[in-house]
C-alpha cells in the first residue's frame, strides 16, 4: 500500500472516531460514483453531513482544507446528490464538512473539523 493510501486510511479512521466521539452517527464510508467519492457520510439529528478527510504530515503545500478546491467540491456535491437519492434522504438537510488530520509519521497529532466548509451555490 502506498504512503498516500496509508495516510488516507489513518486519516479517515481518525476522523470517523472523532466524529463519533462528538455525537455523529457514521452511516457510510467511501461512497463512490464514477470519478467521485465521499470519504464519510454522517448524521447528526436530522442533518446528513458529507465529510471530506484530508490527512497531511506537513503544510508545505498549504493547509489540507485548501486541497478541497472548486473541482473537488463539484465532485463531492455530485456524489452527495446520488447518495441522497439512493438512500432516500432526498428531503433531509445536508452540509459539507472537511476534517483535517495532521499526522506525525502514522500517529495522529491534531484533528481540525471544519463545519460548512463549502456550500452548494448556483454555479454548481
Amino acid at each position: 500500500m502506498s504512503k498516500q493510501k496509508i495516510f488516507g486510511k489513518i486519516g479517515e479512521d481518525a476522523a470517523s472516531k472523532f466524529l463519533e466521539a462528538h455525537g455523529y452517527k457514521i452511516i457510510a464510508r467511501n461512497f463512490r460514483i464514477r470519478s467521485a467519492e465521499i470519504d464519510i457520510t454522517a448524521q447528526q439529528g436530522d442533518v446528513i453531513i458529507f465529510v471530506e478527510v484530508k490527512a497531511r504530515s506537513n503544510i508545505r503545500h498549504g493547509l489540507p482544507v485548501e486541497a478541497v478546491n472548486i473541482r473537488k467540491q463539484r465532485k463531492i456535491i455530485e456524489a452527495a446528490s446520488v447518495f441522497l437519492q439512493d438512500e432516500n434522504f432526498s428531503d433531509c438537510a445536508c452540509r459539507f464538512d472537511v476534517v483535517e488530520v495532521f499526522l506525525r509519521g502514522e500517529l495522529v497529532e491534531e484533528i481540525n473539523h471544519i463545519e460548512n466548509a463549502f456550500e452548494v451555490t448556483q454555479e454548481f
Side-chain angles (χ1 to χ4, degrees), residues 1 7 10 22 27 29 44 66-67 73 77 79-80 82 86 100-101 103 109 120 123:
M1 188 180 275
F7 267 32
I10 292 168
H22 287 84
I27 56 177
R29 285 189 56 181
Q44 186 180 46
E66 294 170 348
Q73 291 174 21
I77 291 166
V82 172
D86 286 357
E100 299 176 314
V101 180
L103 302 170
E109 249 189 353
V120 178
E123 42 186 89

Side-chain angles (χ1 to χ4, degrees), residues 54-108:
K54 290 295 180 191
R56 298 286 188 271
S57 61
N58 61 61
I59 57 170
R60 256 189 303 241
H61 301 291
L63 293 172
V65 70
E66 294 170 348
V68 186
N69 58 29
I70 286 289
R71 184 171 182 259
K72 182 72 172 172
Q73 291 174 21
R74 286 184 178 139
K75 288 183 175 199
I76 293 167
I77 291 166
E78 180 184 1
S81 177
V82 172
F83 180 88
L84 291 169
Q85 289 175 347
D86 286 357
E87 300 299 321
N88 295 320
F89 285 117
S90 55
D91 292 334
C92 290
C94 68
R95 75 170 196 247
F96 298 91
D97 293 2
V98 173
V99 173
E100 299 176 314
V101 180
F102 296 94
L103 302 170
R104 181 174 304 244
E106 293 185 10
L107 299 175
V108 176

Side-chain angles (χ1 to χ4, degrees), residues 11-64:
E12 287 178 16
D13 290 346
S16 290
K17 288 177 187 171
F18 176 89
L19 292 169
E20 286 176 327
H22 287 84
Y24 292 77
K25 177 184 173 190
I26 306 301
I27 56 177
R29 285 189 56 181
N30 304 112
F31 176 80
R32 291 182 186 269
I33 63 165
R34 292 169 299 219
S35 63
E37 178 184 19
I38 298 170
D39 295 327
I40 299 171
T41 306
Q43 187 170 8
Q44 186 180 46
D46 294 337
V47 180
I48 303 299
I49 300 102
F50 299 101
V51 181
E52 177 67 9
V53 179
K54 290 295 180 191
R56 298 286 188 271
S57 61
N58 61 61
I59 57 170
R60 256 189 303 241
H61 301 291
L63 293 172

